[in-house]
């Protein structure tokens, strides 16, 4: 029997709270989840626009699904001090940097950057960063407006790293200095989200405009340019949602969503845990243990968890601190949606993902569990959290058949 429903287009909440539901025995009851984030944050709303939501308000994001998904992210800081006003950035051989243009997702605060008609390099840049050696990720949205190429150059006291991006073809060009990752993602109407990451210190980030030949030095005509907006520089190996800044750096505190005292809806001897989510990031860093979900009793001894470690998804169940089931054979695609169902009963476990049987086990016992934490590990804010979008979550208090598990998880 389905004892808890969370999501699937049914999103109801307010500051510090979001609801799940229990319609067991046709008795429809709301089950409150606590939500915490002590800062503003952004989401993509139903109209496709990036908007800011208030402190403590859950973010239901509609970028990838018209039904919406609960967006949960770790704490991050945008070190670009004027992401909302690019006219204040450093400029070299530019004719103008003008705001008020139609931008990504239909916004109206994009900047048109036009190089002057001289044979030299043309750039807009952020200086005096002074960031010590670490994983850093820079992102910006850009659109060709006559100038076809963008060269993103990250300056370090050690090894600089850089990459070319062709806004006409949507293809990445040559890279130098060994960035750890780069990406170029189309987001509609000719716009692309540009991302470059590296592991070093950072003194500046420079954006060079070019004419389609991957040449920094060239002679523009003084009329063509490039549209840009939403620049962001984070400490981390992958990007998160946009953090607006105006005159200084801004930190967004992590999202935390959890609830307790659910022993009456969590099957204590058998059941199924169903989790439907979009994985925003998968870790290739063996120092990162990025948790999607944990269900436990608060002791860290009796727990079910899903986490992303060393480029694979780990699904595990512990009873009294001893592993009863564990599997890390599934390698998810970053940014893809997946449906996971874990069925449990003494000496009878099964894991299905996207309609496929991943693993079974005929040995093991079931722990007592009564609380849920999304995007973290047993309600511990000190642990590293993951970037996830939860589309739907369900509990069943009976062990479904393998055929039912396959049908439940088929995309």
């Amino acid at each position: 029997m389905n004892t808890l429903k969370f999501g699937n287009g049914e999103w109801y909440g307010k500051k510090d709270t979001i609801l799940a539901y229990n319609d067991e025995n046709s008795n429809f009851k709301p089950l409150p989840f606590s939500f915490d984030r002590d800062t503003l944050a952004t989401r993509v709303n139903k109209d496709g626009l990036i908007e800011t939501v208030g402190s403590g308000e859950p973010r239901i994001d509609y970028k990838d699904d018209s039904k919406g998904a609960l967006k949960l992210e770790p704490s991050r800081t945008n070190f670009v001090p004027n992401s909302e006003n690019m006219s204040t950035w450093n400029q070299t051989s530019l004719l103008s940097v003008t705001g008020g243009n139609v931008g990504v997702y239909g916004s109206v605060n994009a900047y048109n950057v036009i190089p002057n008609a001289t044979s030299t390099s043309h750039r807009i840049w952020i200086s005096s960063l002074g960031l010590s050696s670490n994983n850093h990720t820079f992102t910006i949205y850009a659109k060709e407006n006559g100038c076809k190429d963008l060269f993103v150059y990250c300056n370090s006291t050690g090894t600089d790293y850089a990459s070319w991006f062709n806004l006409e073809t949507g293809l990445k060009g040559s890279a130098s200095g060994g960035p750890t990752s780069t990406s170029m993602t189309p987001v509609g109407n000719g716009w692309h989200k540009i991302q470059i990451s590296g592991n070093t210190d950072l003194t500046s980030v420079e954006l060079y405009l070019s004419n389609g030949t991957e040449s920094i030095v060239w002679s523009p005509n003084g009329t063509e340019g490039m549209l840009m907006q939403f620049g962001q520089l984070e400490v981390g190996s992958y990007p998160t949602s946009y953090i607006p800044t105006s005159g200084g750096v801004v930190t967004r505190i992590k999202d935390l969503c959890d609830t307790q005292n659910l022993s009456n809806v969590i099957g204590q001897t058998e059941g199924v845990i169903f989790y439907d989510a979009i994985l925003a990031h998968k870790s290739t860093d063996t120092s990162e243990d990025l948790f999607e979900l944990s269900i436990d009793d608060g002791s860290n001894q009796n727990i079910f968890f899903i986490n992303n470690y060393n480029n694979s998804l780990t699904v595990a169940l512990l009873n009294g601190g001893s592993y009863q089931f564990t599997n890390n054979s599934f390698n998810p695609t970053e940014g893809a949606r997946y449906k996971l169902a874990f069925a449990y009963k003494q000496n009878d476990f099964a894991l299905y993902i996207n309609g496929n049987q991943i693993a079974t086990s005929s040995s093991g016992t079931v722990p007592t569990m009564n609380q849920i934490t999304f995007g973290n590990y047993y309600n511990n804010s000190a642990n590293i959290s993951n970037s996830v979008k939860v589309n739907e979550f369900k509990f069943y208090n009976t062990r479904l058949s393998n055929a039912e598990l396959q049908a439940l998880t088929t995309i």
Side-chain angles (χ1 to χ4, degrees), residues 203 216 256:
T203 58
I216 289 178
L256 182 62

Side-chain angles (χ1 to χ4, degrees), residues 261-270 273 294-304 317-322 324 344 346 349 365-372 378 395:
N261 302 319
L262 288 182
S263 58
N264 60 324
V265 298
I266 301 176
Q268 300 298 323
T269 58
E270 63 176 296
I273 299 163
S294 68
I295 306 168
D296 64 286
D297 67 350
S299 69
N300 196 26
Q301 299 294 306
N302 304 309
I303 185 167
F304 169 83
L317 179 73
L318 286 78
N319 190 3
S322 298
Q324 306 301 307
Y344 59 93
Q346 183 164 330
F349 302 99
T365 57
V366 177
T368 298
M369 300 178 287
N370 64 4
Q371 63 186 37
I372 311 167
Y378 70 95
F395 273 129

Side-chain angles (χ1 to χ4, degrees), residues 20 52 93 96 119 132 148 152-153 217 229 240 251 259 334 379 391 401:
T52 300
S93 301
S96 62
S119 181
S132 58
K148 301 178 178 62
V152 183
Y153 191 91
V217 177
Q229 70 182 138
T240 62
T251 298
T259 190
E334 188 165 326
N379 193 19
N391 296 287
S401 70

Side-chain angles (χ1 to χ4, degrees), residues 91-306:
Q91 302 173 28
T92 301
S93 301
L94 299 181
L95 181 67
S96 62
V97 179
T98 308
N101 300 278
V102 175
V104 67
Y105 304 132
S107 56
V108 290
N109 58 343
Y111 281 80
N112 191 17
V113 182
I114 301 176
N116 62 23
T118 58
S119 181
T120 185
S121 61
H122 310 268
R123 64 176 176 168
I124 183 167
W125 51 295
I126 310 152
S127 63
S128 304
L129 290 171
L131 296 176
S132 58
S133 183
N134 211 327
N135 286 311
H136 294 105
T137 295
F138 177 78
T139 51
I140 194 163
Y141 292 85
K143 179 181 179 179
E144 180 261 331
N145 196 24
C147 293
K148 301 178 178 62
D149 278 334
L150 179 64
F151 185 55
V152 183
Y153 191 91
C154 298
N155 240 315
S156 168
T157 61
T159 302
D160 303 338
Y161 57 93
S163 184
W164 284 94
F165 301 88
N166 189 307
L167 298 172
E168 182 180 45
T169 64
L171 299 175
K172 295 184 295 181
S174 57
S176 62
T180 55
S181 69
T182 60
S183 65
M184 187 175 187
T185 307
V187 292
N189 197 29
W191 282 90
H192 291 83
K193 185 176 183 179
I194 305 298
Q195 172 260 325
I196 182 169
S197 301
N199 191 350
T200 182
D201 61 44
L202 272 186
T203 58
S204 67
V205 176
E206 306 172 5
L207 308 176
Y208 291 84
L209 286 70
S210 191
N211 64 347
T213 62
E214 292 195 0
S215 175
I216 289 178
V217 177
W218 63 297
S219 299
N221 59 17
T223 60
E224 296 178 334
M226 186 179 293
L227 293 168
M228 302 182 197
Q229 70 182 138
F230 300 151
Q232 181 152 306
L233 175 62
E234 309 170 61
V235 174
S237 59
Y238 64 95
T240 62
S241 62
Y242 175 57
I243 304 169
T245 68
S246 180
V249 302
V250 173
T251 298
R252 179 197 64 238
I253 302 300
K254 72 186 299 181
D255 302 282
L256 182 62
C257 181
D258 61 9
T259 190
Q260 299 178 7
N261 302 319
L262 288 182
S263 58
N264 60 324
V265 298
I266 301 176
Q268 300 298 323
T269 58
E270 63 176 296
V272 171
I273 299 163
F274 174 74
Y275 181 62
D276 176 358
I278 295 173
L279 180 65
H281 170 64
K282 64 177 184 178
S283 174
T284 57
D285 185 345
T286 56
S287 68
E288 291 182 333
D289 224 2
L290 303 179
F291 287 91
E292 300 257 332
L293 167 73
S294 68
I295 306 168
D296 64 286
D297 67 350
S299 69
N300 196 26
Q301 299 294 306
N302 304 309
I303 185 167
F304 169 83
F305 68 79
I306 306 170

Side-chain angles (χ1 to χ4, degrees), residues 331-350:
N331 185 2
T333 300
E334 188 165 326
R337 182 172 180 172
Y338 59 99
K339 294 183 177 182
L340 179 152
F342 177 71
Y344 59 93
K345 190 175 182 179
Q346 183 164 330
N347 300 326
D348 182 12
F349 302 99

Side-chain angles (χ1 to χ4, degrees), residues 29-63:
K29 296 179 290 187
L31 301 171
F33 277 67
S34 297
F35 184 86
D36 181 61
R37 187 195 61 253
D38 293 332
T39 55
L40 304 177
T42 61
R43 66 163 185 163
V44 176
N45 65 20
K46 285 184 177 180
D47 297 322
L49 300 175
I50 292 180
E51 71 172 10
T52 300
V53 300
S55 173
E57 293 183 17
R59 287 184 287 170
I60 307 304
D61 190 275
Y62 293 87
K63 177 179 177 294

